[in-house]
Amino acid sequence: MAAGTRRHDPNRKDRIVDAAIAVIAEHGVAGTTHRLIAAAADVPLGSLTYHFSSLDDLRAQAFRRHAERMSIVYESHFLHVHTHEALIEAVTDLIHGDAGADTADWAIAYELYLAALRDPELRTITETWMRTSRAVLERFVDPTTARGVDALIEGLVMHKTLSTAPVSREEIRVIVARVLHQPAQDPQINGDPR
């Protein structure tokens, strides 16, 4: 390529964002640098500053893309749920890791949650993601239960990810079934004035 000639690369920005997702999964937010992302995307370092105002801007776009992708996977996982028993199985599969998300996907999610503790802009991404997840669950249960099940999913996945001993699918299913079989009666939901 002659000096001064610019390579036509219309997907470069998208490739950089995808590379940032991969780097965050491998190195965490603290270990993510412009150099690592540029190397993973196979682009010159200057491409990052050309397309993104800062490393924070790039990370936010990477987190947003990851959350959007995970929301699609999450929603599609519940498409064929039509019974209460199928809901229990679907939630169990989601927690157990049989629903299209892998350890790297969850690592990025937890990196996002941790970063969002200190960055209010990232909280808009986490809040949108959680709202989307709850909306899916609200097709099957009331909003209060949906919030609890969403938190249960997040918490049990974290426990499973961090545990040094494997958590069986059956143990996860027992927990999910107990939460979903007999939801607590909320006076506001049922119109009870107590």
Side-chain angles (χ1 to χ4, degrees):
M1 186 182 297
T5 303
R6 201 166 169 173
R7 188 172 93 185
H8 180 66
D9 190 1
N11 299 320
R12 181 173 288 193
K13 184 175 182 181
D14 283 339
R15 202 165 68 249
I16 293 168
V17 173
D18 286 337
I21 293 170
V23 170
I24 292 168
E26 185 175 349
H27 299 279
V29 169
T32 296
T33 65
H34 280 104
R35 286 190 190 286
L36 284 173
I37 296 169
D42 190 26
V43 298
L45 196 55
S47 291
L48 275 66
T49 54
Y50 176 79
H51 289 289
F52 305 94
S53 61
S54 64
L55 187 56
D56 287 343
D57 174 36
L58 174 51
R59 277 194 300 245
Q61 290 192 42
F63 280 138
R64 186 172 291 108
R65 178 171 296 173
H66 179 71
E68 288 167 356
R69 287 177 178 167
M70 290 291 286
S71 291
I72 292 167
V73 169
Y74 190 95
E75 184 170 13
S76 68
H77 179 68
F78 289 93
L79 283 177
H80 302 291
V81 172
H82 302 292
T83 66
H84 192 72
E85 286 303 313
L87 175 62
I88 292 169
E89 296 303 325
V91 172
T92 300
D93 287 343
L94 193 66
I95 295 165
H96 192 254
D98 304 325
D102 60 21
T103 305
D105 291 323
W106 285 106
I108 298 164
Y110 294 130
E111 287 288 337
L112 168 58
Y113 297 158
L114 186 59
L117 285 174
R118 293 174 180 84
D119 185 344
E121 187 177 324
L122 293 178
R123 274 187 226 144
T124 62
I125 298 171
T126 59
E127 182 54 37
T128 299
W129 189 2
M130 288 186 287
R131 196 176 316 115
T132 302
S133 299
R134 289 193 307 266
V136 170
L137 294 171
E138 285 171 17
R139 296 178 195 160
F140 313 104
V141 295
D142 64 83
T144 302
T145 303
R147 184 179 289 276
V149 172
D150 190 40
L152 175 75
I153 291 167
E154 296 283 348
L156 284 179
V157 169
M158 181 181 286
H159 281 228
K160 182 177 174 293
T161 303
L162 297 177
S163 178
T164 55
V167 181
S168 72
R169 185 188 186 283
E170 187 51 38
E171 184 179 358
I172 293 168
R173 191 192 182 286
V174 168
I175 295 167
V176 172
R178 286 179 183 171
V179 169
L180 283 173
H181 266 305
Q182 304 244 345
Q185 297 298 311
D186 183 329
Q188 293 179 335
I189 291 171
N190 296 314
D192 187 341
R194 280 182 290 156

